[in-house]
Amino acid sequence: MSLEAQILAELAQDGYTSGQAISHKLNISRSAVWKHIVKLREQGYVIEASPRNGYRLTRRPDRLLPAEIQPLLTGHTVGNRVFHYQKITSTADVARELIDREEPEGTVVVAEAQTRGRGRMGRTWRTPPGRAIALSVILYPRIIPTLTPLLSLGTALAVKRAVEVVVKKETGSAAGVALKWPNDIYLNGKKLGGVLLEMAAELDRVKWVIDSIGLNVNNLFRGTTLEGRATSLAVEFDRKFPRRDLVVALLDELDDIYAGAHTEKGLAAISREFEKHDLLQGKRVEVSTPDGVVIGTAAGIDSEGRLRVRVASGKVRAIFSGEATLSQEKSF
Ligand code: BTN
């Protein structure tokens, strides 16, 4: 944990904490404590300083700073390093650069705003400043490349779990988040977020994965082309949500799911849990795949994370990647 995060932890309790107590606890000089207090103020923390009583933290910024997130994480891998940016092209671009610099597994890149955010299938992804969650996690999974779709299903599950925990804590109600294969997160019939998995692999070995999440938290869509199609927690519950708590819950849930993803049992659990919440299940679907459009009835997720579609002949096709939409015709 950085010194600034440690100082914040010391200032977390009500009232004043003396500079001497902090310097003693962290084994740094009192002038070093002061230097870090100045840096924290520059980041938006409001810290009062009294010559007699010491320091008092009176306001934390609504920013996803490492010092806000890291002390609260309980996982082992995801979030062991956190890079925060005010505005970048895309967290996935920066994660790619960090892979070249050999940053370790679990490194997280988070941004308050993205200028060239991207979604699946070459779509753009909007991240307005300070309202949403946009992050990428660097992973070096020890699984065969054909199993990586399960990581993306697992990430969508982590988002679902995290949103439900935070919504319950904040509002007392159950959010009922649904998932749409392969990695869309839905709330009340509208898209709340999505997962983008990018990777480099050899035939039998994954070299790296950039596991990215975009989640609409306090975004408002009034008057935009997304109104009616996309949603956010603020739109659905008519109140703001703490992005920090969501990021912490999300990284912890992802850490938990990822820890299990290296065993057959853990991988099987991902597809089973995803299947339970997949809003395509049993519905008539049209799936555009690299080999053409497949029309049929969605019949679950197989052990490799592929969508099973029962086609007119009665046969079941397993689809590795594609874009599924609900079709208006009746199921058969
Ligand atoms: C989708 O639903 O199409 C996936 C959206 C993924 C968006 C996230 S936001 C963080 C990361 N950076 C990007 O440019 N895209 C992903």
Side-chain angles (χ1 to χ4, degrees):
M1 219 197 308
S2 72
L3 263 176
E4 271 140 45
Q6 292 180 60
I7 291 175
L8 284 174
E10 294 305 309
L11 295 177
Q13 64 270 39
D14 284 344
Y16 283 93
T17 311
S18 76
Q20 187 168 14
I22 302 173
S23 106
H24 183 72
K25 178 91 183 274
L26 305 183
N27 202 17
I28 54 173
S29 69
R30 285 176 71 173
S31 71
V33 173
W34 170 245
K35 256 199 341 230
H36 287 291
I37 296 280
V38 171
K39 276 203 192 148
L40 285 166
R41 283 176 171 171
E42 284 165 7
Q43 292 171 40
Y45 291 90
V46 179
I47 302 169
E48 290 172 7
S50 142
R52 270 160 59 117
N53 303 315
Y55 300 107
R56 188 160 76 109
L57 174 64
T58 57
R59 207 169 66 226
R60 314 179 86 98
D62 177 20
R63 294 169 73 205
L64 302 170
L65 298 162
E68 289 291 293
I69 293 166
Q70 278 190 302
L72 303 176
L73 294 175
T74 58
H76 301 289
T77 306
V78 177
N80 55 16
R81 302 209 61 189
V82 177
F83 290 83
H84 171 268
Y85 298 88
Q86 198 55 32
K87 193 176 181 183
I88 46 176
T89 54
S90 156
T91 55
D93 291 345
V94 173
R96 182 69 193 83
E97 287 164 23
L98 294 176
I99 288 170
D100 286 341
R101 278 170 31 193
E102 298 184 356
E103 285 297 333
E105 170 153 270
T107 297
V108 172
V109 181
V110 59
E112 301 292 334
Q114 298 186 116
T115 54
R116 278 212 309 271
R118 54 178 183 270
R120 290 181 67 238
M121 312 277 176
R123 285 187 288 250
T124 54
W125 184 265
R126 293 186 210 164
T127 312
R131 291 185 174 268
I133 291 173
L135 64 82
S136 298
V137 185
I138 296 173
L139 299 173
Y140 303 112
R142 292 153 308 280
I143 59 176
I144 53 169
T146 49
L147 293 181
T148 49
L150 286 165
L151 289 183
S152 114
L153 303 190
T155 306
L157 271 175
V159 179
K160 172 184 162 65
R161 288 188 195 168
V163 168
E164 288 177 347
V165 165
V166 174
V167 167
K168 182 85 194 165
K169 188 172 141 232
E170 291 291 312
T171 68
S173 37
V177 173
L179 302 172
K180 176 171 160 275
W181 182 91
N183 40 24
D184 285 344
I185 294 120
Y186 270 71
L187 186 57
N188 301 336
K190 282 165 276 170
K191 184 155 164 168
L192 181 70
V195 173
L196 177 71
L197 204 94
E198 295 162 307
M199 65 184 268
E202 289 162 0
L203 259 186
D204 55 351
R205 182 180 82 95
V206 176
K207 293 211 290 213
W208 53 257
V209 162
I210 299 175
D211 191 6
S212 297
I213 297 160
L215 184 69
N216 300 325
V217 182
N218 295 320
N219 321 37
L220 301 172
F221 300 97
R222 253 185 314 241
T224 74
T225 51
L226 291 172
E227 191 174 5
R229 286 188 294 137
T231 196
S232 69
L233 292 178
V235 168
E236 296 303 316
F237 292 93
D238 205 19
R239 50 158 290 173
K240 274 185 87 178
F241 280 81
R243 290 183 309 141
R244 175 184 76 156
D245 296 2
L246 281 159
V247 169
V248 169
L250 208 157
L251 297 180
D252 277 352
E253 294 292 354
L254 185 59
D255 190 85
D256 180 55
I257 289 175
Y258 186 63
H262 289 88
T263 64
E264 232 171 77
K265 211 170 134 209
L267 286 168
I270 292 174
S271 45
R272 270 204 316 275
E273 192 181 338
F274 191 97
E275 197 172 57
K276 272 196 228 148
H277 307 291
D278 186 10
L279 55 76
L280 300 177
Q281 179 76 2
K283 305 256 172 52
R284 188 95 176 122
V285 291
E286 281 186 30
V287 194
S288 333
T289 77
D291 309 320
V293 177
V294 178
I295 298 176
T297 302
I301 311 291
D302 76 7
S303 60
E304 296 189 6
R306 296 177 299 190
L307 179 70
R308 288 160 47 88
V309 178
R310 190 176 304 281
V311 295
S313 67
K315 279 202 177 126
V316 172
R317 299 230 351 227
I319 300 170
F320 183 77
S321 91
E323 179 75 353
T325 47
L326 287 175
S327 103
Q328 300 311 316
E329 298 166 49
K330 276 205 185 119
S331 306
F332 55 82

